[in-house]
Amino acid sequence: MGWVDEKEQDSVQDRMYTPKFLALRGSSLFKFSAPPVTTWDWTRAEKSFTVYEIMCKILKDSDLLDQRKHCFSLQTESGEDMFFSVELDSELLIWEKAFQMATFLEVERIQCKTYACIMESHLMGLTIDFGMGFICFDAASKAVLWRYKFSQLKGSSDDGKSKIKFLFQNQDTKLIEAKELEFSNLFAVLHCIHSFFAAKVACLDPLFVGSQGAAAVASVAATVSCTAPTGKIKFST
């Protein structure tokens, strides 16, 4: 947790910033105007977000909005972009590692997440499972229509509104199979998928696994075989 400066989105002055207090706690990121002191204060945050449904990005020099350096952005589950700056490069590194760790621990804790979706005008459910991959099932009958491992995802794209097109490789035929799903919470789903992929890749990093000091993490790493997705929204292997 700590102080940051948030760029005001609707300010007439392009370079207006406001001090905010951010805190990563368990499954959530909280934004306050003042640091929480009591338990009750945690219920009165300006905003709170689920860590695996938001995207944190450290801004490179070419991405900076103005003369301020040491900046990072957060894209929320609704697709809103928030921009923050800190004073030191070391602070930026601390926030980056904190987001990575919080996301990893939460994905490891929940193991799977299900989202309602529409496929070919039918109500479906898509489960993102840390051990099994992607599972699509009929919402009414609960019958599984298809499932793919994370390693079978060869690409995806979205329309920025509600639809995601997945490209999976059939293990038997090696052919690419396209599946298009429509979601009411597109960005939350995209960020969740990214978080699960990032957690998978983290398990393959010996330094990261060693830093956990947990046998459970090591056992997960032994079963993982996937390639990291590239890009912020579109994934490919």
Side-chain angles (χ1 to χ4, degrees):
M1 61 177 68
W3 286 102
V4 298
D5 287 329
E6 180 182 16
K7 182 176 175 59
E8 295 186 7
Q9 301 290 333
D10 301 323
S11 174
V12 176
Q13 301 181 44
D14 292 338
R15 301 182 181 180
M16 181 68 72
Y17 285 80
T18 304
K20 297 293 179 181
F21 193 84
L22 294 185
L24 281 163
R25 185 188 189 196
S27 64
S28 301
L29 169 70
F30 298 89
K31 184 174 76 170
F32 299 92
S33 294
V37 177
T38 67
T39 302
W40 174 247
D41 289 340
W42 288 94
T43 67
R44 297 187 291 175
E46 285 186 8
K47 289 185 178 180
S48 64
F49 310 94
T50 303
V51 291
Y52 58 81
E53 290 186 337
I54 60 178
M55 180 81 73
C56 176
K57 178 184 178 182
I58 304 301
L59 300 186
K60 300 178 181 178
D61 289 345
S62 57
D63 299 324
L64 296 175
L65 302 179
D66 48 43
Q67 298 301 313
R68 289 209 178 200
K69 297 185 180 296
H70 314 133
C71 298
F72 64 95
S73 67
L74 291 177
Q75 187 175 63
T76 70
E77 74 282 354
S78 65
E80 175 190 5
D81 288 309
M82 302 187 298
F83 298 91
F84 302 94
S85 71
V86 292
E87 291 187 4
L88 304 173
D89 189 58
S90 58
E91 292 180 80
L92 197 61
L93 183 61
I94 290 173
W95 277 112
E96 181 180 27
K97 290 185 175 180
F99 274 105
Q100 291 173 348
M101 184 62 68
T103 302
F104 174 84
L105 292 176
E106 188 59 15
V107 169
E108 185 190 38
R109 184 186 71 82
I110 66 172
Q111 288 293 306
C112 67
K113 177 67 178 178
T114 299
Y115 294 96
C117 59
I118 300 292
M119 186 177 73
E120 298 176 352
S121 301
H122 296 289
L123 182 60
M124 304 292 179
L126 178 70
T127 297
I128 307 163
D129 188 284
F130 193 69
M132 301 179 66
F134 299 89
I135 305 167
C136 185
F137 60 91
D138 182 271
S141 67
K142 307 302 180 184
V144 174
L145 302 180
W146 48 261
R147 66 176 74 220
Y148 296 94
K149 298 178 181 179
F150 285 105
S151 59
Q152 290 178 265
L153 180 62
K154 299 305 176 183
S156 72
S157 60
D158 66 274
D159 63 358
K161 298 178 182 178
S162 62
K163 295 180 180 180
I164 306 176
K165 185 176 182 179
F166 297 98
L167 299 177
F168 296 104
Q169 185 177 48
N170 186 294
Q171 282 189 316
D172 299 323
T173 65
K174 305 303 180 184
L175 297 177
I176 298 298
E177 299 172 348
K179 305 292 183 181
E180 186 173 83
L181 303 177
E182 186 172 356
F183 299 88
S184 61
N185 49 351
L186 175 71
F187 289 96
V189 178
L190 290 171
H191 297 159
C192 182
I193 293 173
H194 184 275
S195 295
F196 271 67
F197 264 105
K200 282 283 190 181
V201 174
C203 286
L204 295 175
D205 184 349
L207 294 178
F208 186 89
V209 173
S211 69
Q212 302 309 298
V217 176
S219 66
V220 171
T223 65
V224 173
S225 60
C226 67
T227 305
T230 59
K232 184 177 180 182
I233 295 298
K234 297 179 175 61
F235 311 114
S236 61
T237 58

